[in-house]
Amino acid sequence: ASPGDMVLVPVMQLRFTHDKIRPIFRKGKHRGQPLYELVNDLFRGVVNPAVNLPPLEIYFHKGVWRSLNNRRLWALKAYMGLSGNFQLMVRAFISTSSPAAFREKNTTHT
């Protein structure tokens, strides 16, 4: 896969790029909503992660895929744990960010 490609990836394999995650969405369809509302919508089946969520932007760094959409990833991981669906797949696109731009965004060191 190359930068800009759309892929289907297991949520279990994705890592965060920020060491802290704020509890409220700042952009997009869920703007202003707490993260737990998306988790509840996923759990109730109101939101299908493969259909209703925008693709995550991911970047391959130090041997793992990292998501640049940390709040959505957190909600997906919380849903995965609550539902027991450890095979959960999500749409993602491979970031076209330069290595320098990614390093600037990446505050996680694990």
Side-chain angles (χ1 to χ4, degrees), residues 18-62:
H18 301 298
D19 53 4
K20 295 178 184 173
I21 299 173
R22 293 183 183 177
I24 305 291
F25 284 100
R26 292 185 350 175
K27 299 180 196 170
K29 181 180 176 182
H30 298 98
R31 182 180 183 180
Q33 296 178 0
L35 297 181
Y36 71 81
E37 283 190 27
L38 177 55
V39 176
N40 288 340
D41 287 348
L42 288 162
F43 200 73
R44 291 186 323 223
V46 173
V47 172
N48 178 332
V51 176
N52 305 109
L53 290 179
L56 297 175
E57 181 179 359
I58 60 174
Y59 193 93
F60 196 73
H61 179 70
K62 294 187 178 180

Side-chain angles (χ1 to χ4, degrees), residues 31-97:
R31 182 180 183 180
Q33 296 178 0
L35 297 181
Y36 71 81
E37 283 190 27
L38 177 55
V39 176
N40 288 340
D41 287 348
L42 288 162
F43 200 73
R44 291 186 323 223
V46 173
V47 172
N48 178 332
V51 176
N52 305 109
L53 290 179
L56 297 175
E57 181 179 359
I58 60 174
Y59 193 93
F60 196 73
H61 179 70
K62 294 187 178 180
V64 296
W65 287 106
R66 297 191 178 273
S67 171
L68 289 131
N69 310 105
N70 288 278
R71 291 177 191 88
R72 248 183 298 144
L73 179 59
W74 186 92
L76 288 163
K77 285 184 177 272
Y79 164 70
M80 188 176 66
L82 290 168
S83 68
N85 180 2
F86 298 106
Q87 306 303 316
L88 183 64
M89 302 289 280
V90 68
R91 292 178 308 137
F93 72 93
I94 299 172
S95 180
T96 57
S97 292

